[in-house]
Amino acid sequence: MIPISVTTQKLTFEDYLLYNDNTDTRYELVDGELIPMSLGTGKHGAITEFLYDQFRDQIRQLQLPWTAKQKIVGIRSPRGRRWETSRIPDITILSQTQWETMANREAVIDFNEPPPFLVVEVVSPSTKTDDYRSKRSEYGLLEIPEYWIVDPLEEKITVCTLEHQFYDLTEFKGDHQINSPTFPSFNLTVVQVLAVK
């Protein structure tokens, strides 16, 4: 499915935060346009949930003052265009302190705040181009240290590590153990992640 724009009038970031169409639909803001987020396939959901649990386990084991959030934290991007963009990654790893600052405001990390430590996008047919191109560029500009592109369509996981606002890419396939600079003790292979149900 191709993402469709639901507004003809461009929205500011402030308009986006206030937008309510009285449905349960969640939206990203891309160049001032509302883009509905699809639910994704069952496979997409299973992979996201599995990785979310794995990250939470790592945070607990390493006793880090961090938290993992699934599809509830937005990230505002300064794309350099006239209209605003705000993404909602499948998984966001951020400090517990930063999460607590959002208790009484919209759960969106502004581009003038510290970036999250790691974000994950699970690729769907409708999001593939954005996940590999637009989001990679935006997350790099925001200086997010690590970005995972989990691609069940191509059966690979690409770990992007930041180097001077650009990502170095490392692809993992099959039985290769995923190497995460943020979580060096992570002990998972691509097969294990993509085989979840």
Side-chain angles (χ1 to χ4, degrees):
M1 177 182 7
I2 297 173
I4 57 168
S5 170
V6 296
T7 59
T8 53
Q9 179 181 345
K10 298 275 189 177
L11 299 181
T12 65
F13 180 69
E14 291 71 24
D15 293 336
Y16 167 66
L17 293 181
L18 296 172
Y19 183 80
N20 183 355
D21 62 1
N22 297 313
T23 71
D24 292 333
T25 305
R26 297 179 64 94
Y27 297 93
E28 289 186 323
L29 183 69
V30 180
D31 292 329
E33 296 183 10
L34 292 175
I35 306 296
M37 295 179 66
S38 67
L39 293 176
T41 63
K43 183 76 166 176
H44 181 284
I47 291 169
T48 302
E49 185 174 34
F50 175 75
L51 284 173
Y52 170 73
D53 290 341
Q54 296 298 313
F55 285 121
R56 287 178 65 89
D57 287 346
Q58 284 288 303
I59 290 167
R60 222 177 349 264
Q61 287 172 18
L62 298 170
Q63 298 180 352
L64 297 168
W66 299 356
T67 186
K69 298 300 173 190
Q70 186 175 329
K71 295 187 179 184
I72 60 170
V73 176
I75 301 175
R76 184 180 180 191
S77 172
R79 283 182 62 158
R81 297 182 184 177
R82 181 173 171 210
W83 296 103
E84 306 259 12
T85 293
S86 185
R87 302 290 190 175
I88 304 174
D90 288 316
I91 300 171
T92 304
I93 311 294
L94 67 160
S95 75
Q96 183 65 38
T97 303
Q98 187 170 25
W99 171 246
E100 289 167 4
T101 67
M102 300 180 199
N104 297 310
R105 66 174 175 96
E106 294 290 336
V108 177
I109 299 172
D110 206 331
F111 53 77
N112 58 9
E113 295 179 70
F117 304 114
L118 185 151
V119 294
V120 176
E121 297 285 5
V122 179
V123 175
S124 297
S126 63
T127 66
K128 186 169 186 168
T129 300
D130 274 348
D131 292 339
Y132 278 102
R133 296 179 57 96
S134 304
K135 292 179 186 179
R136 191 174 84 200
S137 173
E138 291 163 25
Y139 295 159
L141 186 61
L142 289 165
E143 298 187 350
I144 297 172
E146 189 171 336
Y147 168 39
W148 287 28
I149 306 169
V150 180
D151 191 341
L153 308 174
E154 300 286 333
E155 298 185 350
K156 65 181 180 180
I157 294 175
T158 304
V159 174
C160 309
T161 51
L162 193 67
E163 189 65 42
H164 303 295
Q165 290 189 333
F166 290 97
Y167 283 120
D168 290 335
L169 311 182
T170 306
E171 284 187 3
F172 300 93
K173 293 184 173 184
D175 290 324
H176 289 137
Q177 184 171 314
I178 303 160
N179 181 12
S180 168
T182 307
F183 294 99
S185 57
F186 212 72
N187 189 22
L188 280 177
T189 66
V190 176
V191 167
Q192 287 174 295
V193 173
L194 299 184
V196 298
K197 296 179 181 174

